[in-house]
Amino acid sequence: MATHVLHSKPKGHRRRITLDEDLPVDHRLSKVYRVGAGLMGLVLLAFGVLGLIDRIGFFDTRGDTVAGLNTNGALSILSIAVGLLLFVGMVIGGNTASTLNMALGVLFLLSGFVNLALLDTRYNFLAFRIQNVLFSFVVGVLLMTFGMYGRVSGGLPHDNPYWRARHPDRTS
């Protein structure tokens, strides 16, 4: 029974979201982190390579369309670099891949907001369009989901069946 709901908490006591650092290196969730990093890395690497093949200017603000997204030389090289970084995370795996996925996911979300503000300005040196902003948001959320999966917890109470399933040795 969920009796934890009936108990009042002391004033100032909050549940904190925690990041599980105790996952073993060979934990089955490492596959999720690796697959997430690999898939997103492959997409970004393909986008970057296709953008470079078109030989567009490095900071060309008009850009060129590749796979439905606007790009230029700078965005293509940046996409290749991030894609390779995600592949490195995939090879390392474990908590490193998870943390890298989360960090890059946050950066993609921030990039989406920044580039949304820079649309149709002279400071749009990556030639972003609204499609790129939406792509950045989607990739950011996916990377964060892959990275946080199984590692982020809101502090389940000890009588919760999910907590019991994860900690069979601590149940009484």
Side-chain angles (χ1 to χ4, degrees):
M1 174 168 239
T3 58
H4 67 279
V5 177
L6 301 176
H7 299 297
S8 62
K9 294 181 183 170
K11 190 172 184 176
H13 177 67
R14 289 184 169 178
R15 273 198 184 153
R16 303 196 79 193
I17 294 176
T18 58
L19 186 63
D20 190 359
E21 292 291 344
D22 300 327
L23 293 178
V25 176
D26 60 345
H27 196 275
R28 67 177 190 260
L29 287 176
S30 183
K31 291 177 186 171
V32 174
Y33 311 140
R34 286 177 182 242
V35 167
L39 285 175
M40 294 296 108
L42 182 65
V43 167
L44 292 171
L45 196 60
F47 174 73
V49 168
L50 289 173
L52 283 181
I53 289 174
D54 280 348
R55 297 181 187 218
I56 38 185
F58 196 71
F59 287 118
D60 182 16
T61 55
R62 289 180 296 115
D64 194 19
T65 303
V66 172
L69 301 172
N70 222 38
T71 189
N72 62 13
L75 184 58
S76 295
I77 290 176
L78 185 62
S79 297
I80 290 171
V82 173
L84 290 175
L85 185 62
L86 283 168
F87 274 130
V88 168
M90 179 187 73
V91 169
I92 295 171
N95 290 348
T96 304
S98 170
T99 304
L100 183 65
N101 284 347
M102 285 188 282
L104 288 176
V106 169
L107 289 176
F108 266 91
L109 287 176
L110 290 174
S111 168
F113 283 116
V114 167
N115 285 299
L116 181 63
L118 296 177
L119 288 178
D120 297 328
T121 67
R122 63 183 180 155
Y123 302 110
N124 187 8
F125 62 91
L126 291 178
F128 262 57
R129 298 287 180 255
I130 194 67
Q131 299 91 327
N132 298 74
V133 170
L134 294 174
F135 178 78
S136 186
F137 287 150
V138 168
V139 169
V141 168
L142 285 173
L143 281 173
M144 285 177 41
T145 302
F146 281 128
M148 290 182 187
Y149 186 77
R151 269 189 88 191
V152 176
S153 168
L156 293 173
H158 297 281
D159 64 344
N160 185 291
Y162 295 110
W163 187 91
R164 287 182 183 177
R166 290 182 86 175
H167 304 94
D169 56 330
R170 295 189 199 170
T171 58
S172 52

